[in-house]
Amino acid sequence: KRIVILASGSGSNAENIIKYFKESPSVEVSAVLTNKSTAKVLERCDRLNIPGFYFNRAAFTGSQTVVQFLEGLQADLVVLAGFLWKIPSNIIDAFPNKVINIHPALLPKYGGKGMYGAKVHEAVKKNLETETGITIHYVNEHYDEGAIIFQAKTAISPEDNVDVIAQKVHRLEYEHFPKVIEKLLT
Ligand code: GRF
């Protein structure tokens, strides 16, 4: 089975997924696709020997470029791991129920356009939440609104600053994301 990961930033989740399937006989990460030519995820790809590709906005919107790229790779699953653009419907339509995303909060709360990274943890902290977590969901035309596949929670306390909350959430991501992907593919 072939996974293509889409990432816009650091790519620590991408690295975690790549390493998890490195020895797998049946699942591989075929490529990483980014919309930021300077994204740190590309350095991780070089180090991990995974092809990394930069696509600009034109490739994502109003063209079949990305669809053809994903079809060429025979992607069985398209995994968004910190990908910050909305996925256009031509990609969703070409890969029904095969595009998933991870969001660093317990959707449907703290999701939607512009809610990513520290902004999410700041909103959770500001609302004095006693727990937060991760949501892995199918991707549709709207940010963070597709059917939920998996959620995991972690307790947070008032003295946790945004960095501590982010660390607790990242820990859940690294523990669960590869396993959820594996269940979807095997
Ligand atoms: C993760 O927190 C993920 O939940 C969110 O974007 C972040 C990506 O982090 N979608 P990284 O680039 O994998 O380190």
Side-chain angles (χ1 to χ4, degrees), residues 7-15 41 44 80-84 101-105 116-117 121 134-135 166 169-170 173-174:
S8 300
S10 165
S12 69
N13 275 280
E15 172 150 0
V41 69
R44 294 182 194 263
L80 309 188
F83 190 72
L84 297 184
N101 179 46
I102 187 166
H103 183 74
Y116 60 88
H121 308 314
I134 59 170
T135 302
V169 170
H170 270 309
E173 294 170 343
Y174 304 152

Side-chain angles (χ1 to χ4, degrees), residues 118 120-133 153-172:
V120 176
H121 308 314
E122 279 154 13
V124 163
K125 183 173 174 60
K126 187 162 143 281
N127 281 11
L128 306 177
E129 298 287 357
T130 55
E131 64 181 18
T132 187
K153 296 179 179 179
T154 179
I156 53 175
S157 49
E159 60 266 15
D160 286 352
N161 66 24
V162 165
D163 289 345
V164 166
I165 297 172
Q167 274 164 21
K168 289 181 173 180
V169 170
H170 270 309
R171 199 174 306 130
L172 290 177

